Amino acid sequence: MEPLPSKLAAALVFLASGAVLVLETVALRLVGPYIGVTLQVTSSVIGMALGAIAYGAWLGGFLADRYDPRKLIPPALVLAGIATAVTLPIVRYAGEVLRGEAAGGILLLTALAVFVPAGLLSAVTPLVVKLQLGDLARTGRVVGRLSSIGTLGGITATLATGFVLVAALSTSAIIVSLAVALGLSGIGLWLYLRRRVAMPLTRTGAALAGLGLLGAGLSTVAPNPCDIETAYHCATVTSDPARGTGRTLILNSANHSYVDLADPRHLEFEYTQWFGAVADVMAPEGQRLDALHLGGGGFTMPRYLTATRPRTDNDVYEIDGGLVDLARRELGLRTGPDLTAVVGDARVLVTARPEDSADLVVGDAFGHLVVPWHLATREMVVEIQRVLRPQGIYTQNVIDYPPLRFIRAEMATVADVFPHVLLIGEPAALAGETGANFVIVASDAPLPLDALRARVGPGITVLEGDELADLVGSAPVLTDEYAPVDQLLAR
């Protein structure tokens, strides 16, 4: 068999290996709105991609020894393009059914997202290698060269996707563009090789082309869980039919923030009302504060503090610049001297902040499926304690579900640093009967327990002392060395 030109062989291996890593990276974005972006989901995507690479390489080598690889490489690329295009509607329809965090659903949805196209692409390299092994004296050189080119393709694709493609294009655009590129590459290679080997266009080929068109068509009508894709989130803003100026920010298919465009004092979600209660009992309305917010979202609390306490300085650390832009466009955010949005990782920014520089720290960076673990550890709480003034208060939103392993561990972690701690929650949630928001309140100074209980109302429980210790029990203190937050949250 006549080998491929050296540059063409290298280009095919580079393309196929790179496309696998584009799929792997984008798969996290594709499945995130349905099953979150937890450690289990990331591990599952990597595992499925590696499994596809292993089986695809084995299959490609098996077929290369039995058939002319020149007749197999173009169909493999076209089939990979079709499988990539079809992945988009398959995952979006299946995702609506498999929502949640169950291990079986995570494995199935990630397999649907990456396994078939990655397997087909991984078969290309052994097929190309077989063609290039015309001289046994050069076997090591050929295999080593193509292997290194494949690795370089994967590295290039990973960096380009993470730094460029995700920031410039939507998930759908990336997947459809990749599918088209693979399909056109396969067709172009077929046109090139048919001059050297008989490769007639069969009914099967025509059927595959039709399947590819069908996949592209389904991609345009598949349910899309988000209106806007930022670098970190799938976001949607909806209007409240019961309140004309009310807007709900939905991140990764979960209600995240509520903003009243006309009344920044309105706190719709119960946990934000508890945040407001903490601020109200620590400082009378009208008294300015230096407030630090870890997580911006809809900027509900910074707007509340600005409205109730003029001249308050609100510094908001939000990792997702796209959310800041969205809040400006659709949620009435107006930044200025009293409300500053700093785009960056809260852990890094808090570490760089001067000590004794805040009266109130509001932690609201945890989502229902996504918890940045490095914000949940003792080391992070120590940094928060450092930036708080002696009478300052740290209040943190935590979402958990029965059997409440995460809130217990996070409560133990905060209590290991601050001498005075409280926990606010609904009675049913604290009893482990349902999932809900909890709010931790901590300080180096005694907390206004009675005033806070009166402010949150009779239907809400405020735990402290022995009752709180009984709830926490023997829960572990989370540290940078040990913070299995995803496992603690798993239901």
Side-chain angles (χ1 to χ4, degrees):
M1 289 181 291
E2 178 185 357
L4 295 173
S6 179
K7 291 183 178 178
L8 176 59
L12 288 172
V13 171
F14 188 92
L15 170 66
S17 300
V20 171
L21 270 296
V22 173
L23 282 169
E24 182 179 342
T25 304
V26 176
L28 284 168
R29 312 273 307 189
L30 188 58
V31 303
Y34 308 103
I35 54 177
V37 189
T38 63
L39 182 61
Q40 289 97 331
V41 174
T42 304
S43 300
S44 183
V45 168
I46 294 172
M48 290 299 169
L50 289 174
I53 292 170
Y55 282 107
W58 173 84
L59 180 62
F62 177 85
L63 295 174
D65 288 339
R66 286 160 177 78
Y67 303 98
D68 185 347
R70 293 173 297 181
K71 294 184 177 181
L72 296 177
I73 299 172
L77 289 171
V78 172
L79 281 172
I82 292 171
T84 300
V86 173
T87 289
L88 194 62
I90 286 177
V91 169
R92 285 187 169 158
Y93 283 113
E96 297 294 336
V97 177
L98 298 173
R99 283 186 183 276
E101 306 170 71
I106 291 173
L107 292 170
L108 178 56
L109 196 60
T110 52
L112 291 173
V114 75
F115 192 85
V116 173
L120 289 166
L121 288 165
S122 299
V124 171
T125 294
L127 292 170
V128 173
V129 169
K130 175 71 174 183
L131 276 177
Q132 305 310 101
L133 292 178
D135 182 358
L136 292 179
R138 300 177 62 249
T139 299
R141 188 183 310 170
V142 170
V143 173
R145 174 174 174 270
L146 291 176
S147 177
S148 68
I149 289 172
T151 302
L152 287 173
I155 294 170
T156 303
T158 300
L159 295 176
T161 305
F163 282 86
V164 180
L165 293 182
V166 167
L169 300 172
S170 67
T171 300
S172 299
I174 295 173
I175 291 176
V176 171
S177 298
L178 180 63
V180 170
L182 292 172
L184 291 177
S185 298
I187 294 170
L189 184 62
W190 176 78
L191 292 173
Y192 171 80
L193 291 175
R194 68 180 300 195
R195 294 177 293 179
R196 293 164 173 77
V197 60
M199 299 180 67
L201 182 62
T202 63
R203 291 181 179 178
T204 302
L208 290 175
L211 182 60
L213 292 174
L214 177 61
L218 286 174
S219 298
T220 63
V221 299
N224 192 335
C226 52
D227 295 332
I228 301 159
E229 287 188 57
T230 69
Y232 292 88
H233 296 100
C234 165
T236 300
V237 175
T238 62
S239 299
D240 183 355
R243 195 179 182 94
T245 54
R247 300 290 184 272
T248 301
L249 173 64
I250 301 172
L251 297 182
N252 301 323
S253 301
N255 290 344
H256 185 275
S257 302
Y258 185 100
V259 170
D260 189 314
L261 301 179
D263 182 8
R265 294 170 177 258
H266 178 73
L267 301 176
E268 179 75 13
F269 293 165
E270 197 165 42
Y271 85 91
T272 61
Q273 295 171 13
W274 302 339
F275 277 161
V278 171
D280 293 342
V281 299
M282 76 171 292
E285 185 169 327
Q287 178 180 324
R288 70 169 301 280
L289 296 169
D290 289 320
L292 171 61
H293 304 262
L294 311 181
F299 290 78
T300 304
M301 289 312 300
R303 295 174 77 242
Y304 175 80
L305 292 178
T306 299
T308 57
R309 291 161 178 81
R311 297 182 299 107
T312 286
D313 286 334
N314 291 280
D315 291 334
V316 183
Y317 295 166
E318 171 57 60
I319 195 170
D320 192 345
L323 277 188
V324 178
D325 295 336
L326 176 62
R328 286 193 175 108
R329 289 195 311 270
E330 300 192 35
L331 298 177
L333 173 64
R334 298 292 181 268
T335 53
D338 58 352
L339 202 169
T340 304
V342 182
V343 176
D345 187 282
R347 175 73 178 265
V348 175
L349 294 170
V350 167
T351 301
R353 188 181 176 95
E355 62 180 273
D356 295 338
S357 58
D359 300 306
L360 175 66
V361 175
V362 179
D364 195 11
F366 297 173
H368 81 301
L369 293 178
V370 181
V371 173
W373 67 270
H374 64 307
L375 303 185
T377 64
R378 187 184 189 280
E379 290 82 352
M380 177 63 176
V381 180
V382 168
E383 287 298 320
I384 292 170
Q385 184 188 47
R386 181 185 63 81
V387 303
L388 275 173
R389 294 179 178 128
Q391 302 297 315
I393 290 179
Y394 174 43
T395 183
Q396 177 188 15
N397 175 42
V398 177
I399 303 172
D400 199 9
Y401 310 88
L404 305 184
R405 289 175 295 188
F406 178 46
I407 183 59
R408 288 187 172 108
E410 187 63 13
M411 194 71 246
T413 303
V414 174
D416 197 56
V417 176
F418 285 99
H420 302 278
V421 291
L422 304 172
L423 181 62
I424 307 173
E426 298 175 352
L430 290 167
E433 298 172 4
T434 183
N437 293 80
F438 302 86
V439 167
I440 297 172
V441 185
S443 179
D444 284 331
L447 292 164
L449 175 61
D450 294 337
L452 189 57
R453 278 181 170 152
R455 181 66 174 76
V456 298
I460 303 302
T461 299
V462 180
L463 288 183
E464 56 93 29
D466 291 341
E467 288 183 317
L468 183 55
D470 289 342
L471 176 71
V472 173
S474 59
V477 172
L478 304 179
T479 67
D480 285 352
E481 285 289 328
Y482 179 76
V485 296
D486 298 315
Q487 289 79 5
L488 291 171
L489 275 166
R491 296 182 230 182

